[in-house]
Amino acid sequence: MMTTTRQHVLLYFSLLIALALVPAVDSSRYLLGQLTLFLIWVGVVTQWNLVFGVAGIFSLAQMMVFAIGGYVAAMLATHLGWSMWAGVPVAGLAAVLASTVIGFATLRQRGAYVALLTLALACAMQALIIVDTDCFSLDDGVCLTLTGGASGLSRFGDFGFREWFGYSYATIGNFYLALLLTALGSAFAFTVINSPLGHAFRALRDNPVCAAARGIDRVKYQVMVFSISAFFTGLFGGFYAGHYKAIGPTVLDISTLLFLLSAMIVGGVGRFWGPLLGCAVLMFFDELVKDLVEWRMVGIGLFTAVFVVVCPHGIVGLCERLAPRTPLR
Amino acid sequence: MRTETDDTLLSCENIVKRYGALTAVDRLSLQVRAGEVLGIGGPNGAGKTTLFDMISGVTKATEGRIVFKSRDITRLPPHKASPQGLARTFQLNAAFDSLSVEENVLCSAYFGRANILFPQLRYPPATREAARAALSTTGLEAAHDRKAGSLTVLQRKQLMIACALATRPSVLLLDEPVGGLNVAEIDQTIEMIDKVRNEWPVTIILIEHVMRFLVALCDRIVIMHHGRKIYEGPISGLAGDRQVVEVYLGEGAARRLRDAAERQACHA
Amino acid sequence: MVGSILQILVSTLTLGGIYAISAIGLALLWGVMGMLNMAQGALMAVGAYASVYAVAQLGIPWMLGLPAAVIIGGICGWLLFFASVRWMLGSAGYETNIIIVTVGFAIAVKSLLIIAFSGYPKRQPFTLEGGFQLAGTMVPYQTVLIVSVTLTLMLALTAILYKTRMGLAIRATAQGRRAAALMGVPAERVFLQVMMICGALAAISGVLVSSIANVSPALGDDAMLKVFIICVVAGLGNIPGTILVSFLLALVEVTIQYAVASKWGFPVMLCAAILILIWRPAGIFGNERIARN
Ligand SMILES: Nc1ncnc2c1ncn2[C@@H]1O[C@H](COP(=O)(O)OP(=O)(O)OP(=O)(O)O)[C@@H](O)[C@H]1O
Ligand SMILES: [Mg+2]
C-alpha cells in the first residue's frame, strides 16, 4: 500500500518534471499559454478536491476564493502599486482569512445546504463587483473603482520576466512559475491527505456520527480544510491576475465553476489522479470545440452532463473498475 | 433510586428523551461501578440505543442529568465524550470505509484520546502503540492494511471495538456487539471481550439481545421496556422475574436461561 | 409614508408570488427525489421564450403565451427526467452528480437559446399595460395579473397535492421513497410527474419574471439563486413554509432596495438567510434530522 502510494506520487512529479522540458522542445506562446492555464486549473482543482472529494464538503465557493486571491493581488497592484511578487502571497493569506469566515458562516450546514449557500455567496460577490461604480482612487485623473466593476482591473504590472530577461521570456517565466506553484500545491495536498489531519477529513466524510464519537469535531475540521485549501487557491488566483495582467467578474461565472467542477468529476472525485486527468480531458475537449464559437458552451455543457450520467465515478473510477488492482484515493 | 457510592463511575439521574410525542427513554436512572460489566437488554424500540446516544452526546437528554467521573456531562458535545474517556460502538457497523483498518484505529487513537488543538503531520509513537495494542486485542493485525469498506461483518464489529479501545476509554459502550453474527462468531467475540475485560482497565456497558452473550459476560443486567428500567440485578434473577419473562424473554427462553445460569454456576 | 409602504407591499406581492411559484417546484423536487435542480433558471428562460415565440411566430393571443410556456416547460421536465435523473437516482454520489448534470444541461440550454434567439433582450408579450391609483400609489395592472396567476396556481397546486390520487402518491413518496414504493406507489411515474410539474412551474415563473424585466437567456439566473435561498431558509422540501418565506424574503429584498439601494437587495437577503440558518440550521420550518448510525 505504502509503496504504491509512493509510486503514484513519484509518477505524478515525474510528469510535472516532463512538463518542465516542454519549452525546450516547443516554446510557442500559444502552447505555453494553454499549458500555464492548465497548470492553474490543476492547482485550483487539487485544492477543491481536498475540500470536496477528501473532506466531502459540497462547497461551490472555490472560484470565489480564487477570485478573492486574484482581486486582492490586483487591487494591491492597482491602488497601492505593489509588485505582484508581494501581492500574490498576500492574496493567499487573504483567501485563507476570507475562507475561514465563509467556512464559519456556512459549515454549520451540511450537504446540499452548503452547496446552495456557497454558490449564493459567490454570486453575491459577483453582483457586488459588477455594480461597483464609485471612484476609489485616481490614476492620472482617470477614475478607478475599487474592484474595477463590470470590466475588471487591468492596469497593473505582471511578474516582470519581460523586463528581466526580454520579451520572449515572459511566457516561459510565467509557465515555470505556474509549474512551481502546482508542484508545491500538489505536494501540500498529498501531505495533508496522508497525515492525521487528512484522516480526520476523510473520517468526517465517511461517517460524521462515528467520527464525532472518535473525538473529531466536525465544524472545526471542516472549517480547517476550508482554510488551508484556500491558501494555494488564493495564490493561484493572484498568479492568474499577474499572468493575464487582468481580473474581472467573469471568473465568478457559473460556466467557469462548472468547467472546473466537471474537471474534478470527470477525473474522479477524491481520487489522487482526478484533478490532473480531469483538467487534461476538459482542456483537450475545450481545445477541440473552441472553433465552434457559440456551440462551444453547448458542447461543454452536454459533454459534462452526459459524462456524469454515464460514468459517475470519473475516469479514475472507470480505470479502477477495469483494472481493480490499483486503488488509490 | 440507589444512592451513589464511591466507586460509581457513571450515573444517569432520571434521564428522559422525547422525540415529539414519543418518549424513547423515560425517567431512567442507572449507576455503573468502575470495573463491572453491565448488560442492557430489552425488546426492540425499548430505548437502549437512545440511552447510549445520550451518554455519548449524540443526542441531548430532554431532562435529567448524566454524571461521569463526578463531572456533569449531560450537555457535552459528542466529540468531547471520547477524550473524557467514554467510547462507544454503533449498532450498525460504522467505520471509516475509505481508510484502512490501521488508519481507522490510528485516527481514533489520536483524536479520541485528548483534545487536539492542531494535528501533527505524523502520529506520535504513543498513538501507534495504542493502536497496535487495540488491533492485537481484537485480532485484526493480519487485516491491518485492508480498506474498512471491504471487511466482513465480524471484522467490522472487531474494527469498531478496536477503534473504541484505541482511545483508551474508562467506559466502553458496546451496542449489540454480536448482532447478526453466527454462533461460532459469537463465541469468538465473547472470548475477545473477556480479553478486553482482563487486559484493559475498562468498565463495559453492553447492549445485546443474545442471552448467551449476556450470561457469559455480564456481572449485572438491566432490562428496559418502553424507555423504562423494568429489571436490574444479577442475570440469575432474570428468569424468575414475571414482567421480564412476559414482555421480553418468553417462557422458552426463560427456561433455557435458567439452565444456562445453572451450568455457569457449576463451572465457576 | 403610506404611499411608500403600499409601494413596498405591491412589489413584495409581485416578487414574492413569482419566487413562490418557482420555489414550490424546487421544494417538490427536493422533497420527492432529493434533487437540486440547477436547470431551474434555464427552464425559466425556456418558458419565457416559449411564450415569446408562440405569440410572435404562431400568432396566438398574448394570453395564451402562458399555456404555451406550461406545455414547453412540462416537456422539458420530461426530457430532463429521461436524460438524467432516471439513470442516476439512488446511485452513489447522486446528490452531487445531479447538480453537475443539471448545471451542464442549463449551460447547454442557455447557449442554445442564445443561438436560436440571439442574446438581445426581447419584450414579454404576456403583459398588461396601464394601472390604477390606490391611495395615491400607482398599481400596475401587470401586478394584478401576476398576483392572480400566482394565487390561482397555488390553489390549483394545493388541490392537486391534497385532493387527487396523484397528489397522494407524490406526498407519500416525499415521506419515504422506499416505503412508498413498497406500498405500491409507482415511484418512477411519480418522479416523472413531479419533474413535469416542476418544469411547468419554472416556465410560468419565467414568463412572469420576464414580464417585469425582459426576456433574455440569463433571466432565470438571479431568480433561481434567490429561490434556492428561499428553499434553504424555509427548510428544503417544505412547501407551505417555502411559500411563506418567499414573501418574507421578497419583503426584505424590496424594503432594502427601496430604503437603501437596489444593489444591496440581494446581499442583505443573503446575510439574513445565513443568520437565520445559524439560528436554525435546518431552516425555519425544517425538522432537524438527527443523523443516526
Ligand atoms: N432520531 C429519532 N427520531 C425519532 N424517533 C426516534 C429516533 N431515534 C429513536 N427513535 C425512537 O425511539 C425509540 C427507541 O429507539 P432505540 O433505537 O433507542 O431502541 P432500541 O432499544 O435500541 O431498539 P433495538 O433493539 O431495535 O436496537 C424507538 O421507538 C425509535 O423509533
Ligand atoms: Mg438499538
Side-chain angles (χ1 to χ4, degrees):
Chain A
M1 205 49 222
M2 210 48 225
T3 50
T4 49
T5 306
R6 208 161 280 162
Q7 282 165 2
H8 281 278
V9 171
L10 226 63
L11 184 60
Y12 186 95
F13 285 103
S14 314
L15 274 180
L16 289 189
I17 290 171
L19 266 183
L21 302 177
V22 168
V25 182
D26 178 353
S27 63
S28 74
R29 283 190 56 151
Y30 182 74
L31 179 71
L32 288 186
Q34 286 305 91
L35 279 180
T36 306
L37 188 60
F38 166 71
L39 288 169
I40 293 176
W41 292 151
V42 171
V44 173
V45 174
T46 301
Q47 303 304 318
W48 198 359
N49 193 39
L50 206 54
V51 175
F52 193 106
V54 175
I57 303 168
F58 201 166
S59 161
L60 299 177
Q62 187 67 7
M63 284 314 284
M64 179 181 186
V65 177
F66 180 84
I68 288 171
Y71 269 102
V72 165
M75 290 190 308
L76 287 174
T78 308
H79 302 301
L80 303 179
W82 282 35
S83 138
M84 271 295 149
W85 292 101
V88 171
V90 175
L93 295 177
V96 171
L97 201 69
S99 200
T100 310
V101 174
I102 299 172
F104 274 113
T106 57
L107 288 177
R108 281 162 203 287
Q109 310 297 319
R110 288 158 201 246
Y113 284 74
V114 175
L116 291 180
L117 277 177
T118 46
L119 180 66
L121 281 172
C123 293
M125 177 174 167
Q126 190 184 33
L128 281 178
I129 289 175
I130 289 175
V131 297
D132 177 24
T133 47
D134 302 329
C135 282
F136 181 77
S137 66
L138 286 177
D139 179 32
D140 295 335
V142 181
C143 162
L144 289 176
T145 66
L146 179 63
T147 62
S151 51
L153 292 170
S154 55
R155 295 156 67 98
F156 54 88
D158 59 3
F159 292 96
F161 291 114
R162 189 187 322 247
E163 286 88 272
W164 299 341
F165 306 115
Y167 178 77
S168 58
Y169 284 95
T171 343
I172 296 183
N174 283 352
F175 169 74
Y176 280 119
L177 194 53
L179 194 62
L180 180 70
L181 277 178
T182 307
L184 289 177
S186 306
F188 170 78
F190 301 156
T191 311
V192 167
I193 291 173
N194 290 306
S195 76
L197 192 56
H199 291 165
F201 297 154
R202 286 152 73 185
L204 282 166
R205 172 194 67 186
D206 285 352
N207 194 328
V209 178
C210 188
R214 300 291 166 254
I216 302 171
D217 181 348
R218 185 182 73 88
V219 173
K220 173 180 160 185
Y221 286 105
Q222 294 202 333
V223 170
M224 207 183 269
V225 72
F226 232 62
S227 313
I228 63 171
S229 73
F231 181 66
F232 274 97
T233 310
L235 283 189
F236 277 107
F239 174 77
Y240 178 93
H243 173 61
Y244 288 105
K245 293 194 279 179
I247 186 132
T250 49
V251 293
L252 289 163
D253 279 350
I254 296 217
S255 53
T256 320
L257 191 73
L258 176 77
F259 183 82
L260 296 180
L261 192 57
S262 318
M264 189 161 56
I265 307 275
V266 165
V269 176
R271 305 289 164 67
F272 180 89
W273 287 102
L276 192 82
L277 278 180
C279 288
V281 169
L282 262 117
M283 293 241 2
F284 185 72
F285 183 81
D286 197 26
E287 203 62 32
L288 285 184
V289 295
K290 76 168 189 292
D291 296 330
L292 302 178
V293 205
E294 65 261 340
W295 287 92
R296 173 172 169 259
M297 285 323 287
V298 180
I300 291 182
L302 286 181
F303 173 76
T304 308
V306 171
F307 192 97
V308 173
V309 172
V310 175
C311 184
H313 297 292
I315 298 173
V316 177
L318 200 67
C319 295
E320 277 170 17
R321 202 135 34 98
L322 298 179
R325 270 188 300 151
T326 49
L328 191 66
R329 275 159 196 272
Chain B
M1 209 175 99
R2 223 193 284 188
T3 50
E4 214 168 294
T5 52
D6 273 344
D7 58 351
T8 300
L9 191 56
L10 174 73
S11 85
C12 304
E13 298 164 12
N14 282 311
I15 53 171
V16 176
K17 179 69 199 185
R18 289 196 198 90
Y19 290 112
L22 177 102
T23 308
V25 172
D26 193 3
R27 275 173 288 134
L28 185 101
S29 295
L30 194 67
Q31 262 78 41
V32 184
R33 288 185 297 274
E36 75 172 327
V37 177
L38 171 68
I40 298 179
N44 293 115
K48 306 179 294 290
T49 301
T50 308
L51 174 66
F52 273 18
D53 284 350
M54 284 190 284
I55 296 174
S56 61
V58 170
T59 61
K60 301 278 164 281
T62 319
E63 282 170 30
R65 224 160 72 94
I66 304 170
V67 179
F68 175 61
K69 290 183 185 162
S70 317
R71 276 196 56 197
D72 187 334
I73 58 159
T74 321
R75 302 263 165 269
L76 205 65
H79 58 266
K80 295 226 171 104
S82 185
Q84 293 280 325
L86 275 165
R88 71 170 287 182
T89 65
F90 294 90
Q91 186 167 352
L92 294 179
N93 304 322
F96 310 131
D97 287 352
S98 71
L99 299 180
S100 73
V101 166
E102 189 174 28
E103 289 167 339
N104 263 276
V105 181
L106 275 171
C107 100
S108 302
Y110 188 60
F111 292 97
R113 174 60 169 175
N115 277 315
I116 306 286
L117 196 64
F118 193 92
Q120 297 165 266
L121 278 181
R122 308 190 134 268
Y123 290 112
T127 303
R128 293 189 174 277
E129 181 47 38
R132 204 200 47 71
L135 282 175
S136 117
T137 300
T138 49
L140 274 174
E141 287 141 316
H144 73 97
D145 61 356
R146 295 264 303 277
K147 283 258 183 293
S150 70
L151 297 180
T152 64
V153 177
L154 177 66
Q155 286 175 319
R156 284 177 76 88
K157 299 229 175 227
Q158 291 169 334
L159 174 59
M160 254 199 308
I161 295 174
C163 286
L165 275 182
T167 68
R168 283 148 290 173
S170 36
V171 171
L172 183 60
L173 306 158
L174 302 175
D175 196 345
E176 304 204 5
V178 296
L181 297 185
N182 65 29
V183 178
E185 292 169 336
I186 292 178
D187 286 337
Q188 201 180 333
T189 310
I190 290 176
E191 234 168 76
M192 186 244 283
I193 297 196
D194 230 13
K195 200 152 103 192
V196 170
R197 175 161 62 171
N198 295 330
E199 294 173 9
W200 295 71
V202 64
T203 306
I204 301 176
I205 310 178
L206 49 90
I207 295 176
E208 194 43 76
H209 289 288
V210 177
M211 275 298 150
R212 205 158 58 81
F213 188 78
L214 292 174
V215 170
L217 290 168
C218 299
D219 303 318
R220 197 157 65 91
I221 196 153
V222 164
I223 301 290
M224 289 177 67
H225 181 49
H226 287 327
R228 300 187 187 205
K229 186 165 74 182
I230 59 169
Y231 177 87
E232 178 170 12
I235 274 248
S236 52
L238 214 51
D241 190 290
R242 203 177 45 77
Q243 201 185 358
V244 171
V245 174
E246 220 164 77
V247 304
Y248 186 45
L249 287 179
E251 293 295 346
R255 204 169 329 109
R256 280 196 301 280
L257 186 59
R258 247 186 310 259
D259 296 347
E262 271 162 25
R263 247 180 289 129
Q264 189 90 1
C266 291
H267 282 300
Chain C
M1 186 62 203
V2 177
S4 44
I5 289 180
L6 207 64
Q7 195 106 51
I8 288 176
L9 228 56
V10 167
S11 303
T12 303
L13 279 181
T14 324
L15 263 186
I18 296 175
Y19 292 163
I21 292 176
S22 217
I24 292 170
L26 287 179
L28 261 179
L29 273 187
W30 175 263
V32 173
M33 42 222 270
M35 166 181 180
L36 279 185
N37 179 19
M38 304 289 279
Q40 185 84 355
L43 288 176
M44 287 169 75
V46 168
Y49 276 105
S51 161
V52 170
Y53 184 83
V55 173
Q57 304 291 316
L58 307 180
I60 59 174
W62 67 269
M63 290 283 275
L64 294 184
L66 197 65
V70 168
I71 293 169
I72 297 295
I75 293 177
C76 285
W78 189 89
L79 282 173
L80 191 56
F81 180 76
F82 282 105
S84 61
V85 200
R86 165 84 180 67
W87 314 105
M88 305 173 67
L89 210 77
S91 65
Y94 164 74
E95 208 181 273
T96 329
N97 289 348
I98 194 71
I99 292 191
I100 297 156
V101 170
T102 46
V103 174
F105 279 125
I107 286 182
V109 166
K110 273 191 288 181
S111 316
L112 282 175
L113 285 177
I114 295 177
I115 294 169
F117 296 98
S118 88
Y120 193 72
K122 291 186 163 42
R123 205 188 73 91
Q124 176 57 254
F126 189 77
T127 29
L128 275 179
E129 301 295 335
F132 62 93
Q133 291 286 328
L134 183 70
T137 312
M138 170 77 172
V139 182
Y141 288 130
Q142 184 60 25
T143 299
V144 181
L145 181 66
I146 290 176
V147 172
S148 17
V149 170
T150 53
L151 272 183
T152 318
L153 264 177
M154 280 181 214
L155 289 177
L157 270 173
T158 314
I160 290 178
L161 280 180
Y162 290 91
K163 294 279 187 291
T164 65
R165 282 182 67 88
M166 176 171 115
L168 186 66
I170 292 176
R171 282 183 297 135
T173 313
Q175 294 247 320
R177 231 173 286 160
R178 288 270 303 280
L182 289 173
M183 305 299 268
V185 176
E188 187 155 328
R189 196 164 81 205
V190 171
F191 296 153
L192 184 56
Q193 285 163 347
V194 171
M195 286 289 312
M196 291 177 69
I197 293 177
C198 179
L201 287 175
I204 296 172
S205 115
V207 171
L208 298 184
V209 167
S210 60
S211 75
I212 50 174
N214 48 42
V215 184
S216 73
L219 72 94
D221 292 3
D222 275 3
M224 178 177 82
L225 216 58
K226 289 173 190 167
V227 168
F228 269 130
I229 296 297
I230 287 166
C231 289
V232 171
V233 169
L236 277 169
N238 181 311
I239 294 176
T242 303
I243 297 177
L244 201 76
V245 173
S246 298
F247 287 101
L248 210 73
L249 284 193
L251 180 66
V252 172
E253 189 187 351
V254 170
T255 311
I256 296 295
Q257 286 180 343
Y258 197 87
V260 189
S262 153
K263 70 173 175 186
W264 293 107
F266 185 55
V268 170
M269 176 173 157
L270 200 65
C271 290
I274 288 175
L275 288 180
I276 290 174
L277 286 173
I278 287 174
W279 166 54
R280 284 198 61 119
I284 300 181
F285 302 101
N287 287 322
E288 179 132 30
R289 250 196 337 204
I290 295 152
R292 249 201 139 173
N293 255 302

